[in-house]
Each structure stands twice: as structure tokens, then as C-alpha cells.
Amino acid sequence: MLWVIGPMLLVGATAAQGDLLHPVSQIHAGHAASRNLASSKESALADYGDRLEGWVADSLIATGRWRGDVESKLWQFLRSHGLDATSPCNVFLAKALKLLFGIADFEAPSLPGSFLGANDIARYVAAHPEQWTLLGPASSQVALERAQAYANLNSAVIAVYASSPHGHVAVILPGHLQYSLQWNLHAPNSASVFLNQPYKSYVGLMLSNAFQAAHLPSVKLYTRNAPN
């Protein structure tokens, strides 16, 4: 189940990924445990409050552990490989997805050990909806909330921006939304590196560190579909 409390988005252990594409009010009753309340108003409210408190607590614990594990692995990866002026965002994204999820979608099939460029990654995910679901543009607060929710569910989530001559890509990490003054939106947790600007590379900061506000309508958020 998806809960938004202020700027923090919480995902309970009972959430189904398909539910996240709809407002909570539209989730089918069979998917929402809170619909099965006792007949008495007083007992129903008490039961609802107990369940909500439990979901929030479980969500915070699970998300915190997953976030710590992910960020630790990515920092170790960056330290072990080093960052210099030739560290491109597409290589970091592709290797991060392989490290964290075993996903190799962005490895160049014709040249082992090489990877699709940022613009090619953007074209790939747009052309493969059976693998990658579009959550929306980064200019949409709903899409940003969905991106953070899926990341908290241990799903691969990415942000892609196609531009000439080079685009940019970033990976969404578990965590919670934080208000970005630059975007005037609540942005998800993320990681990214920058070609020729290694000092800007980061793990565990808002997605607004990766993309300028003017580019947000063109920044697309995708989540990797679970295998059938």
C-alpha cells in the first residue's frame, strides 16, 4: 500500500507494483487490507490506526535497510573503480544496475565490455515497454513519487535525458522524497556521475543534483518490469 505523509512517501509490505500507477483511492478493494475493517466505527478506526502505524514502521525499517545496503554497494563500487574526467554516466548506470539487480539491458550487444550511451539508453527504454514502464516526466510530482515508491520496493528505477550531443542518466535509490528548491518539487533519492565533472558525482542525494529544472519535461522516469 502506498502512503504519502507530507514530503515522505512510504510503501508498506503489502503493496502491489501495479497499484502504484493509480491513486490509492482507486486501488481495488482486494488489494487494500485497510478496506477489511470491523463493522463498528470505533473499532474500525482503532484497527485502521494500528495497521497504519505498523505499515509505517515496517516500511521505514525495510526502506532504511535497503537504502543503506544500496548506497554502501555503490560507494564501494565508485571507490574501487575510481572517478576521473572520463567517467561517463551511462557506464555507471549500466554497472550499477548489473551490480544491484543483475540487469544487463544496457550492455552493447555487439561489443563485449562496452555500454549504450545515454541517448541510446533513452531510446532503448522507450522502445521496450515490455521491459521498462514509463512512470512519467520528472516535471510531474506524481511521477517522482512513483519513482521513489518503486525504488523502495527494490525495483530498478532510472531517469533518462536525451540531448545533443550527449544526454544524461541517473539511478533512483531507496529513500524518501525531499523538497528541491531548484525544482520546486519533492525529488527522490538518487546517484549519478558526470563526464568531465567527477566532483559533481554523488550517491544518496536528491535527483535535482543530476538534472536542471529547465530540462525536467524531457527527463523521463522508468522502472524495470518484473520478469513474467
Coordinates of all heavy atoms in Angstrom, one line a residue, residues 1 7 11 24 33 35 40 50 53 56-57 67-68 71 81 85 114 116 133 137 140 160 177 183 194 201 205:
M1 N 0.8 -1.2 0.0 CA 0.0 0.0 0.0 C 0.9 1.2 0.0 O 1.9 1.3 0.6 CB -0.9 0.0 1.2 CG -1.8 1.2 1.3 SD -3.1 1.0 2.5 CE -4.1 -0.3 1.7
P7 N 6.1 15.3 2.9 CA 7.0 15.1 1.8 C 7.5 13.6 1.7 O 8.2 13.3 0.8 CB 8.2 16.0 2.0 CG 8.2 16.2 3.5 CD 6.8 16.1 4.0
V11 N 6.0 3.0 1.6 CA 5.5 1.8 0.9 C 5.4 0.7 1.9 O 6.4 0.2 2.4 CB 6.3 1.5 -0.3 CG1 5.7 0.3 -1.0 CG2 6.5 2.7 -1.2
V24 N -4.3 6.0 -4.5 CA -4.7 5.0 -3.5 C -6.2 4.8 -3.5 O -6.7 3.7 -3.3 CB -4.2 5.5 -2.1 CG1 -4.8 4.6 -1.1 CG2 -2.7 5.4 -2.1
A33 N -5.6 -3.8 2.4 CA -6.0 -4.5 3.6 C -6.9 -3.6 4.5 O -7.7 -4.1 5.3 CB -4.8 -5.0 4.4
R35 N -9.3 -1.9 3.7 CA -10.8 -2.0 3.4 C -11.5 -3.0 4.3 O -12.7 -2.9 4.4 CB -10.9 -2.3 1.9 CG -10.2 -1.5 0.9 CD -10.7 0.0 0.9 NE -9.9 0.8 0.0 CZ -10.2 1.0 -1.2 NH1 -11.3 0.3 -1.8 NH2 -9.5 1.7 -2.0
S40 N -17.9 -1.9 13.5 CA -18.1 -0.8 14.5 C -17.2 0.3 14.1 O -16.0 0.1 13.7 CB -17.7 -1.2 15.9 OG -17.5 -0.1 16.7
D50 N -4.0 1.2 14.1 CA -3.0 0.2 14.4 C -2.3 -0.4 13.2 O -1.0 -0.5 13.1 CB -3.6 -1.0 15.2 CG -4.0 -0.6 16.6 OD1 -3.6 0.5 17.1 OD2 -4.8 -1.3 17.2
E53 N 0.0 2.3 11.6 CA 1.2 2.5 12.4 C 2.2 1.4 12.1 O 3.4 1.6 12.0 CB 0.9 2.5 13.9 CG 2.1 2.8 14.8 CD 1.7 2.9 16.2 OE1 0.5 2.9 16.5 OE2 2.6 2.9 17.1
V56 N 3.7 1.8 8.5 CA 4.7 2.9 8.5 C 6.0 2.4 9.1 O 7.1 2.6 8.6 CB 4.1 4.1 9.2 CG1 5.3 5.1 9.4 CG2 3.0 4.8 8.4
A57 N 5.9 1.7 10.3 CA 7.1 1.2 11.0 C 7.8 0.2 10.1 O 9.0 0.3 9.9 CB 6.7 0.6 12.3
R67 N 18.1 1.0 1.6 CA 18.8 2.1 1.2 C 20.3 2.1 1.6 O 21.2 2.3 0.9 CB 18.2 3.4 1.8 CG 19.0 4.7 1.5 CD 18.3 5.9 2.1 NE 19.1 7.1 1.8 CZ 18.7 8.3 2.0 NH1 17.5 8.5 2.6 NH2 19.4 9.4 1.7
G68 N 20.5 1.7 2.9 CA 21.9 1.6 3.4 C 22.7 0.6 2.6 O 23.8 0.8 2.3
E71 N 23.3 2.1 -1.1 CA 24.3 3.2 -1.1 C 25.7 2.7 -0.7 O 26.7 3.1 -1.3 CB 23.9 4.3 -0.2 CG 22.6 5.0 -0.6 CD 22.2 6.2 0.2 OE1 23.0 6.6 1.1 OE2 21.1 6.8 0.0
H81 N 36.5 1.5 -8.5 CA 36.8 1.8 -9.9 C 37.4 3.1 -10.1 O 38.0 3.4 -11.1 CB 35.5 1.7 -10.7 CG 35.0 0.3 -10.9 ND1 34.5 -0.5 -9.8 CD2 35.0 -0.5 -12.0 CE1 34.1 -1.6 -10.3 NE2 34.4 -1.7 -11.6
A85 N 38.0 12.2 -15.1 CA 37.3 13.1 -16.0 C 36.7 12.3 -17.1 O 35.9 12.8 -17.9 CB 38.3 14.1 -16.6
S114 N 31.4 -3.0 -23.4 CA 31.0 -1.7 -23.6 C 29.5 -1.5 -23.4 O 28.8 -2.5 -23.2 CB 31.4 -1.3 -25.1 OG 30.7 -2.1 -26.0
L116 N 25.7 1.0 -23.9 CA 25.0 2.0 -24.6 C 25.2 3.4 -24.1 O 25.4 3.6 -22.9 CB 23.5 1.7 -24.6 CG 23.0 0.3 -25.1 CD1 21.5 0.2 -25.0 CD2 23.4 0.2 -26.6
T133 N 8.7 0.3 -17.8 CA 7.5 1.1 -17.8 C 7.8 2.6 -17.5 O 8.5 2.9 -16.6 CB 6.6 0.6 -16.6 OG1 6.2 -0.8 -17.0 CG2 5.3 1.4 -16.5
P137 N 7.2 12.1 -16.7 CA 8.4 13.1 -16.8 C 8.7 13.5 -15.4 O 7.9 13.5 -14.4 CB 7.8 14.2 -17.6 CG 6.4 14.2 -17.3 CD 6.0 12.8 -17.1
S140 N 6.7 16.0 -13.3 CA 5.4 15.6 -12.6 C 5.7 15.1 -11.2 O 6.5 14.2 -11.0 CB 4.8 14.5 -13.4 OG 3.8 13.8 -12.6
V160 N 16.2 9.3 -17.4 CA 17.0 9.4 -18.7 C 16.6 10.7 -19.3 O 15.5 11.2 -19.3 CB 16.7 8.2 -19.6 CG1 17.1 6.9 -19.0 CG2 15.2 8.2 -20.0
L177 N 11.4 11.2 -0.5 CA 11.3 12.4 -1.2 C 11.8 13.6 -0.3 O 11.5 13.7 0.9 CB 9.9 12.7 -1.7 CG 9.3 11.7 -2.6 CD1 7.8 11.9 -2.8 CD2 10.0 11.7 -4.0
W183 N 14.0 22.7 -8.2 CA 12.9 22.2 -9.0 C 11.5 22.7 -8.5 O 10.6 22.6 -9.3 CB 12.9 20.7 -8.9 CG 14.0 20.0 -9.7 CD1 15.0 20.6 -10.3 CD2 14.1 18.6 -9.9 NE1 15.8 19.6 -10.9 CE2 15.2 18.4 -10.7 CE3 13.3 17.5 -9.5 CZ2 15.6 17.1 -11.0 CZ3 13.7 16.2 -9.8 CH2 14.8 16.0 -10.6
F194 N 29.2 12.2 -13.6 CA 29.2 13.2 -14.6 C 30.5 13.2 -15.4 O 31.6 13.3 -14.9 CB 29.0 14.6 -14.1 CG 27.7 14.8 -13.4 CD1 27.5 14.4 -12.1 CD2 26.6 15.4 -14.0 CE1 26.3 14.5 -11.4 CE2 25.4 15.5 -13.4 CZ 25.2 15.1 -12.1
S201 N 29.9 14.1 -9.1 CA 29.3 12.8 -8.9 C 28.9 12.5 -7.5 O 29.5 13.0 -6.5 CB 30.3 11.7 -9.4 OG 30.7 11.9 -10.7
L205 N 21.9 11.6 -2.9 CA 21.4 12.9 -2.9 C 20.2 13.0 -3.8 O 19.9 12.1 -4.6 CB 22.5 13.9 -3.4 CG 23.8 14.0 -2.6 CD1 24.7 15.0 -3.3 CD2 23.5 14.4 -1.2

